Amino acid sequence: MKRFLKNLSKAMSQDGASQFQEVIRQELELSVKKELEKILTTASSHEFEHTKKDLDGFRKLFHRFLQEKGPSVDWGKIQRPPEDSIQPYEKIKARGLPDNISSVLNKLVVVKLNGGLGTSMGCKGPKSLIGVRNENTFLDLTVQQIEHLNKTYNTDVPLVLMNSFNTDEDTKKILQKYNHCRVKIYTFNQSRYPRINKESLLPVAKDVSYSGENTEAWYPPGHGDIYASFYNSGLLDTFIGEGKEYIFVSNIDNLGATVDLYILNHLMNPPNGKRCEFVMEVTNKTRADVKGGTLTQYEGKLRLVEIAQVPKAHVDEFKSVSKFKIFNTNNLWISLAAVKRLQEQNAIDMEIIVNAKTLDGGLNVIQLETAVGAAIKSFENSLGINVPRSRFLPVKTTSDLLLVMSNLYSLNAGSLTMSEKREFPTVPLVKLGSSFTKVQDYLRRFESIPDMLELDHLTVSGDVTFGKNVSLKGTVIIIANHGDRIDIPPGAVLENKIVSGNLRILDH
């Protein structure tokens, strides 16, 4: 404390505020370093090495967090990307496929981001183990897709799961059921970082355990952690040694993120002879996507800008569908050799996302995260490809689940495709109320999934149940007032109807 006061008075006596801040920052970094060293002493010999790597990674991120001042983007420098930097998918597809597509596929590794839990949908354990279609989970569908590829083209495309400490154990138990599938499955864990007390900016964790009192002290630091964790796991070098050249990275809950042979061919056989190190699939914004991160031109490079980085005065402009027409699907194609080079040069630059949380006991904390797509500006010859909306089919809520379970889609070899019987390519807008939030409640309220081929919009609120073989068409709004219950009878056909609390059915 004496040393701190001495430094403080020295700073105050020189040129004031900036040096004062610098002293505070240095003292804080020192305090955090000591806390992390204390935590590391509680690690057992077999967990020491990876814990040390995690805490070192956290220290680097924390150092950057303290250094950065103000918003990470200067709004005045943001420009629309040049025409040729975002290619239409149709142009990529028009090139066709080479005869040697099998040898191209053998250069690919599929990586799924599998760190998330199903808590937002009322489920325990990894989100990837929630049943989404015909008893199949997200993970089942992923394995089926890749097995189909390997059998069709006689290839050896491996599947890699980036787990978090929350999902690793449960996922590994399930993997045994795929032992006889024609897919080699690998896993690695993303880092485990300590949450920070919002007031003191010191770690909440006191030791390495993450059970009991320490359950909420740790967090997985976002999917931007993939570069360091993949490299540290040894898998990056293994795959490079096997002659693999690209990874296709996507969220495991995006059911549209299947391996696309046309994009892969474009990567491996570029028309101008110059390979891309990083390709981001983007798709056109709708009103539902106004908060999605967008690709911009910034200081001569493609850059992903997220809503959290936008100064408040420009948020409406950012959300404008006319100015920023596309958003990031988080389907990414990345060169393995480039990841290795940049990782070894410590040159992967991603903006820090500061995520504020309140723990169960009421403590306010922050967690520092990064996003995988933000690294696009660190790679050479990056490209955006504007893909059809069908490649972005995330299941974040039971409203999304209703869409993918319905007859809007057909399932073939693990892939969902929009039914040819639907007359227009857009997906209906579905909003299910809070009575449907948890998967088990949602399933209980549908005796069977309604026919939705001709549906445009569905809003359901309150205590509502659906009988078997219900058909929904056009715009359907069903609202049960508090204390009321609405049971849609079996076989009912609701077309452009409002169903209100007393079961009156009105034309809409």
Side-chain angles (χ1 to χ4, degrees):
M1 192 65 185
K2 277 182 187 171
R3 189 165 63 93
F4 174 64
L5 291 171
K6 188 176 169 188
N7 287 344
L8 187 58
S9 61
K10 188 176 166 189
M12 293 293 279
S13 64
Q14 291 167 357
D15 61 4
S18 63
Q19 279 191 300
F20 172 63
Q21 285 174 333
E22 180 59 20
V23 169
I24 293 285
R25 191 187 61 71
Q26 286 176 3
E27 289 295 333
L28 189 51
E29 283 214 54
L30 194 63
S31 300
V32 166
K33 182 175 179 243
K34 284 178 180 170
E35 289 294 316
L36 296 178
E37 284 168 354
K38 275 188 213 165
I39 292 170
L40 190 56
T41 61
T42 68
S44 63
S45 55
H46 77 274
E47 58 187 355
F48 184 87
E49 209 44 54
H50 70 251
T51 303
K52 186 175 187 307
K53 279 181 182 169
D54 285 354
L55 296 181
D56 285 347
F58 171 77
R59 263 188 71 195
K60 282 182 194 166
L61 197 60
F62 187 73
H63 173 77
R64 280 184 48 217
F65 164 67
L66 293 181
Q67 293 283 358
E68 289 176 6
K69 295 172 177 67
S72 54
V73 291
D74 176 348
W75 192 256
K77 291 182 181 177
I78 287 179
Q79 299 171 303
R80 283 189 185 177
E83 285 297 311
D84 62 345
S85 66
I86 299 180
Q87 297 274 344
Y89 177 77
E90 291 69 31
K91 187 178 173 185
I92 306 281
K93 191 174 180 179
R95 293 183 60 210
L97 294 174
D99 295 334
N100 66 337
I101 195 66
S102 297
S103 62
V104 172
L105 263 172
N106 274 327
K107 304 287 186 187
L108 183 69
V109 176
V110 175
V111 180
K112 292 286 182 181
L113 304 171
N114 185 45
L117 293 167
T119 42
S120 63
M121 292 165 76
C123 296
K124 286 184 175 163
K127 187 176 182 183
S128 57
L129 307 184
I130 295 174
V132 281
R133 181 81 188 216
N134 304 354
E135 306 292 308
N136 289 299
T137 65
F138 292 103
L139 188 53
D140 291 335
L141 295 177
T142 301
V143 172
Q144 286 168 28
Q145 288 164 19
I146 300 173
E147 183 173 45
H148 179 66
L149 265 184
N150 286 336
K151 284 180 173 174
T152 304
Y153 296 100
N154 193 26
T155 51
D156 184 24
V157 177
L159 170 63
V160 179
L161 302 172
M162 180 169 89
N163 298 336
S164 68
F165 64 91
N166 291 318
T167 62
D168 188 53
E169 198 177 322
D170 289 342
T171 301
K172 280 180 175 168
K173 281 179 193 164
I174 290 289
L175 291 183
Q176 293 167 10
K177 81 178 203 181
Y178 307 116
N179 284 346
H180 303 295
C181 293
R182 189 171 161 173
V183 183
K184 285 182 190 157
I185 304 177
Y186 303 82
T187 65
F188 69 98
N189 266 18
Q190 65 186 114
S191 304
R192 183 164 73 99
Y193 284 2
R195 284 181 166 139
I196 308 163
N197 183 315
K198 196 175 179 183
E199 298 301 317
S200 68
L201 292 185
L202 294 176
V204 176
K206 296 300 172 214
D207 57 55
V208 293
S209 71
Y210 46 97
S211 55
E213 286 181 10
N214 250 6
T215 309
E216 293 188 299
W218 300 90
Y219 72 100
H223 41 57
D225 184 59
I226 187 173
Y227 304 104
S229 293
F230 194 38
Y231 178 84
N232 289 338
S233 72
L235 283 173
L236 179 67
D237 282 336
T238 299
F239 290 129
I240 289 174
E242 290 175 2
K244 305 291 185 189
E245 295 184 27
Y246 280 93
I247 48 174
F248 171 49
V249 180
S250 62
N251 298 345
I252 200 156
D253 65 4
N254 178 6
L255 294 176
T258 57
V259 171
D260 186 280
L261 300 178
Y262 299 101
I263 295 176
L264 180 61
N265 179 47
H266 186 84
L267 285 167
M268 298 296 296
N269 304 303
N272 63 0
K274 191 180 177 195
R275 282 201 181 179
C276 296
E277 290 188 345
F278 194 110
V279 164
M280 176 180 287
E281 293 184 36
V282 295
T283 195
N284 292 339
K285 268 188 186 182
T286 66
R287 295 277 168 215
D289 314 305
V290 291
K291 292 183 179 178
T294 194
L295 268 188
T296 62
Q297 178 87 346
Y298 192 89
E299 296 180 338
K301 297 202 96 171
L302 276 183
R303 178 158 175 168
L304 178 67
V305 175
E306 303 278 5
I307 194 164
Q309 296 165 253
V310 178
K312 280 196 172 65
H314 297 281
V315 165
D316 287 342
E317 192 181 342
F318 175 83
K319 288 181 177 179
S320 154
V321 177
S322 57
K323 181 163 185 181
F324 297 105
K325 294 184 167 68
I326 51 152
F327 73 98
N328 167 30
T329 63
N330 223 35
N331 300 347
L332 309 166
W333 304 75
I334 310 170
S335 156
L336 286 166
V339 173
K340 183 175 169 71
R341 180 190 78 239
L342 292 169
Q343 193 58 37
E344 290 180 345
Q345 292 171 354
N346 196 24
I348 295 181
D349 178 21
M350 295 171 283
E351 289 75 32
I352 296 172
I353 301 159
V354 180
N355 196 344
K357 299 257 180 189
T358 302
L359 303 187
D360 286 346
L363 182 69
N364 290 325
V365 297
I366 55 173
Q367 49 192 53
L368 306 178
E369 302 175 9
T370 54
V372 57
I376 188 169
K377 63 179 182 290
S378 303
F379 289 81
E380 294 301 317
N381 201 26
S382 298
L383 180 70
I385 297 180
N386 191 343
V387 297
R389 182 76 185 197
S390 56
R391 291 193 56 74
F392 184 67
L393 191 56
V395 180
K396 304 289 182 194
T397 63
T398 50
S399 300
D400 300 328
L401 196 55
L402 182 62
L403 290 170
V404 300
M405 282 184 158
S406 76
N407 61 345
L408 286 164
Y409 293 96
S410 54
L411 181 64
N412 180 29
S415 297
L416 290 180
T417 46
M418 178 75 80
S419 169
E420 290 173 4
K421 292 177 185 170
R422 179 146 175 100
E423 289 182 6
F424 26 89
T426 54
V427 177
L429 189 61
V430 172
K431 295 179 180 175
L432 298 179
S434 56
S435 303
F436 291 80
T437 303
K438 293 183 176 179
V439 172
Q440 57 269 42
D441 292 339
Y442 154 88
L443 291 171
R444 193 169 45 79
R445 291 180 177 278
F446 289 99
E447 275 194 60
S448 69
I449 303 297
D451 170 353
M452 293 164 55
L453 280 174
E454 295 175 48
L455 179 70
D456 299 322
H457 178 120
L458 173 67
T459 294
V460 184
S461 177
D463 186 1
V464 178
T465 62
F466 292 78
K468 278 191 175 170
N469 305 322
V470 170
S471 185
L472 305 172
K473 302 179 181 188
T475 296
V476 179
I477 298 169
I478 305 169
I479 298 174
N481 297 323
H482 186 68
D484 289 335
R485 173 173 167 159
I486 294 177
D487 296 311
I488 304 298
V493 178
L494 302 182
E495 182 169 5
N496 295 327
K497 290 282 187 278
I498 297 174
V499 183
S500 66
N502 56 9
L503 264 178
R504 283 180 307 149
I505 295 186
L506 311 168
D507 280 319
H508 176 72

